[in-house]
Amino acid sequence: MKFIVAVHIEGAQAHAAAVAFEAWDAAEATKTYLTHIPQIEKPVRGEIDLRELPCVMQLLQEHKLEPELLVIDGFVHLDADDTPGLGHHLFHALAGRVPVVGVSKKRLPGLSSQFEVMREEEAAPVLVTTAGIDIGAAKVRVRSMHGRKRVPTLMKLAARLAKNRD
């Protein structure tokens, strides 16, 4: 099963959500999972913010999820030189056994157009970075995800679940 994961941080606590799906073009989740994390560390000034990493790991462990692939709202690599982002750290925390696809609306200066994916009816691309899966294959799959807007339907659902916890 593939999962889209999202984390919403509120002060010193967080909520993590996972949306399970089988087909890349699925309009609805197979199942959803929620985890409350009552205490998270403050971000370390001057370092990449990795507070979401333990939240995702707790979500996977709490619900005994064994993903074949994870999609995150964010970056696997921060530039074309493979500077590690959240997704890279997640890939290694899972011992390199679970491919991670990062999808982001944000543009980073070190990511060229080779990371862009144009989705239906939108002018601005999303940026796709990966670990454990070919970037070309991931871009095709992200392009095929359900939704007529820039952000795929199931990614919106994961974010909404994490934020609203319902």
Side-chain angles (χ1 to χ4, degrees), residues 1-158:
M1 185 82 48
K2 295 176 274 298
F3 294 90
I4 297 170
V5 293
V7 177
H8 180 71
I9 297 172
E10 287 183 73
Q13 64 179 340
H15 296 90
V19 171
F21 67 103
E22 293 189 30
W24 283 94
D25 62 350
E28 295 182 7
T30 304
K31 189 164 181 175
T32 61
Y33 303 88
L34 296 170
T35 294
H36 172 72
I37 299 92
Q39 185 67 40
I40 60 169
E41 301 295 320
K42 291 183 178 182
V44 178
R45 189 177 201 142
E47 292 184 18
I48 183 172
D49 187 352
L50 296 175
R51 294 178 297 164
E52 292 182 18
L53 179 61
C55 299
V56 171
M57 296 303 291
Q58 182 175 329
L59 171 78
L60 296 174
Q61 292 168 354
E62 183 177 306
H63 296 284
K64 297 176 178 50
L65 303 179
E66 296 183 13
E68 67 184 61
L69 180 137
L70 287 173
V71 177
I72 64 166
D73 179 0
F75 294 98
V76 175
H77 298 104
L78 303 177
D79 55 33
D81 295 327
D82 294 340
T83 301
L86 172 65
H88 173 86
H89 290 279
L90 179 58
F91 179 71
H92 286 286
L94 295 168
R97 293 187 317 266
V98 179
V100 178
V101 176
V103 179
S104 181
K105 298 176 297 218
K106 295 179 189 173
R107 172 164 295 290
L108 293 178
L111 290 174
S112 67
S113 61
Q114 76 184 34
F115 297 97
E116 293 178 356
V117 171
M118 301 301 289
R119 299 221 351 116
E120 291 183 50
E121 298 184 18
E122 280 293 325
V126 291
L127 293 142
V128 175
T129 52
T130 63
I133 182 173
D134 176 73
I135 183 76
K139 286 170 63 174
V140 167
R141 291 175 177 130
V142 168
R143 187 176 295 115
S144 74
M145 291 178 82
H146 183 271
R148 297 177 61 92
K149 299 293 182 187
R150 185 176 185 200
V151 178
T153 302
L154 294 181
M155 288 191 73
K156 288 180 184 178
L157 174 61

